[in-house]
Amino acid sequence: LRPFQRKEILLLLSFLALLFAVNYRLLAAWFMIDDTAMIFFSGFDTIKLLFDKGTYLYFNQLFFTPLLPISFKIDWYLFQMNPAGYHLHNLLAAWLCCVLLYIFFRNYLTPFFGWLGVMLFAISLPVSFDIGWITRKHYLWGFFFALVAVHLFRQWDHDRKPSKIILSLVCTL
C-alpha cells in the first residue's frame, strides 16, 4: 500500500463531503420501519444472541447476521435513542467504503477515473438507503470487509506473508 499523496487526501475528503451533501437530511430523520425493534432485541444477552437459536430468532427470523445485534449494543451505548448517531455511524461506514474502493480503483485506473467511480458509488441510491435505514448497516460493513479482504489478498499475492492471507480469510467471515 503506497501512502496517499496530498492531492489524494483531498479526493478522500471529497467523498465525505459528497456523502454528507447527499445524505445530511438523514441525520435529522427518525428511525425507519423496524430500527427500534432491532435496537430493543439487541438488548438481549450477547452469548444467547450468538449461540441460542431461539433468542436469535427474536432478533431476525430471515437472515443470520450475528454481529448485527452486537453492533447495535455498541451503538446503544454511544447514542441511546438518538437516531442521528446511528445515521452518522452509517455515513462514516459508507465513507470508509469509499476510501477502500478508491484504494482498489487506483490499482487499475487513473486517479481521476478512480475518483469518478467512487463519486458515482457515493451518490448511488443503495448507499443512501443504507445510511438512512440503520438496520442495513451490515451491508456497508460487509462491503467494507470484502474490500479489506481483496486488498489483503492482493498484498499477500505480492509478498506471500501468511498473516495477510489469514486476515483476508477472516475478513470474508
Side-chain angles (χ1 to χ4, degrees):
L1 175 67
R2 66 175 172 80
F4 291 113
Q5 299 170 358
R6 194 175 288 187
K7 182 179 170 183
E8 287 179 312
I9 291 173
L10 293 175
L11 296 177
L12 300 179
L13 291 175
S14 72
F15 305 147
L16 183 60
L18 181 65
L19 281 169
F20 185 80
V22 170
N23 298 292
Y24 74 93
R25 285 174 270 161
L26 293 172
L27 298 177
W30 188 245
F31 296 110
M32 295 175 66
I33 306 173
D34 57 354
D35 290 347
T36 53
M38 295 297 162
I39 292 169
F40 171 76
F41 291 132
S42 72
F44 291 0
D45 180 53
T46 304
I47 300 300
K48 286 187 177 181
L49 278 169
L50 288 174
F51 299 109
D52 180 55
K53 180 181 177 182
T55 303
Y56 183 81
L57 287 176
Y58 278 111
F59 178 76
N60 192 337
Q61 295 183 3
L62 300 176
F63 306 105
F64 185 64
T65 54
L67 296 179
L68 189 58
I70 294 170
S71 72
F72 277 122
K73 284 181 180 289
I74 296 167
D75 285 346
W76 173 259
Y77 178 76
L78 295 172
F79 310 122
Q80 299 288 310
M81 286 300 288
N82 180 2
Y86 292 87
H87 296 303
L88 185 62
H89 173 164
N90 287 2
L91 184 85
L92 292 176
W95 179 64
L96 289 174
C97 289
C98 288
V99 169
L100 280 175
L101 189 59
Y102 179 74
I103 290 170
F104 177 75
F105 281 163
R106 76 181 182 169
N107 292 310
Y108 305 103
L109 304 170
T110 64
F112 173 75
F113 285 110
W115 172 82
L116 184 62
V118 174
M119 292 300 251
L120 290 172
F121 168 78
I123 63 170
S124 69
L125 185 59
V127 171
S128 291
F129 191 65
D130 291 345
I131 291 170
W133 192 358
I134 64 166
T135 55
R136 295 180 55 90
K137 68 180 167 180
H138 62 290
Y139 293 114
L140 293 169
W141 285 112
F143 185 58
F144 172 80
F145 282 112
L147 288 171
V148 170
V150 169
H151 179 70
L152 288 169
F153 180 78
R154 289 188 81 251
Q155 284 186 335
W156 170 82
D157 195 33
H158 177 70
D159 62 21
R160 299 292 180 181
K161 290 184 180 175
S163 60
K164 291 183 180 173
I165 194 69
I166 291 168
L167 284 174
S168 177
L169 291 171
V170 167
C171 285
T172 62
L173 299 175

